[in-house]
């Protein structure tokens, strides 16, 4: 069992963002793969327990960061592809 703070993160983080006055939106993996992250509407990407990210999603996240976007993760993200197959090394390690 994960510690309470980790297991309830999907509830706590949106609450904290709202209370702090931030607007946020959740994005599906399909939207990420389609390039929605890089349409100019986003400044920060938060990856909560996103250990499996498609190669296209990784490409979009790296492009977002290269263009000045901030990427925050709570664990080492993108250690596996969208099918759960481990990458040889973390696909986003150069950001962290």
């Amino acid at each position: 069992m994960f510690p309470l703070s980790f297991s309830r993160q999907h509830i706590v983080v949106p609450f904290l963002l709202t209370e702090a006055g931030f607007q946020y939106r959740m994005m599906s993996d399909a939207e990420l793969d389609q390039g929605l992250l890089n349409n100019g509407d986003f400044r920060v990407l938060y990856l909560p327990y996103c250990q499996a990210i498609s190669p296209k999603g990784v490409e979009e996240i790296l492009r977002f960061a290269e263009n000045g976007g901030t990427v925050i993760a709570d664990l080492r993200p993108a250690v596996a592809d969208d099918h759960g197959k481990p990458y040889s090394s973390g696909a986003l390690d150069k950001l962290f």
Side-chain angles (χ1 to χ4, degrees):
M1 187 87 191
F2 292 113
L4 178 62
S5 62
F6 185 81
S7 65
R8 299 194 54 168
Q9 182 175 8
H10 66 284
I11 297 168
V12 173
V13 171
F15 173 78
L16 291 175
L17 290 172
T18 301
E19 287 297 306
F22 292 104
Q23 293 179 347
Y24 70 92
R25 145 186 219 297
M26 296 191 183
M27 183 179 301
S28 71
D29 56 339
E31 291 173 320
L32 176 62
D33 289 352
Q34 293 167 2
L36 180 65
L37 181 61
N38 288 293
N39 70 3
D41 290 342
F42 302 96
R43 296 183 298 177
V44 177
L45 174 65
Y46 173 58
L47 299 169
Y49 198 65
C50 291
Q51 294 189 301
I53 301 175
S54 72
K56 178 65 176 158
V58 168
E59 179 183 313
E60 290 296 322
I61 292 169
L62 292 173
R63 187 164 63 115
F64 176 72
E66 289 168 4
N67 290 331
T70 300
V71 182
I72 301 168
D74 57 1
L75 289 175
R76 186 173 173 216
V79 294
D81 69 13
D82 51 326
H83 300 286
K85 180 180 176 189
Y87 289 117
S88 59
S89 62
L92 294 175
D93 281 359
K94 67 180 172 181
L95 293 181
F96 300 97

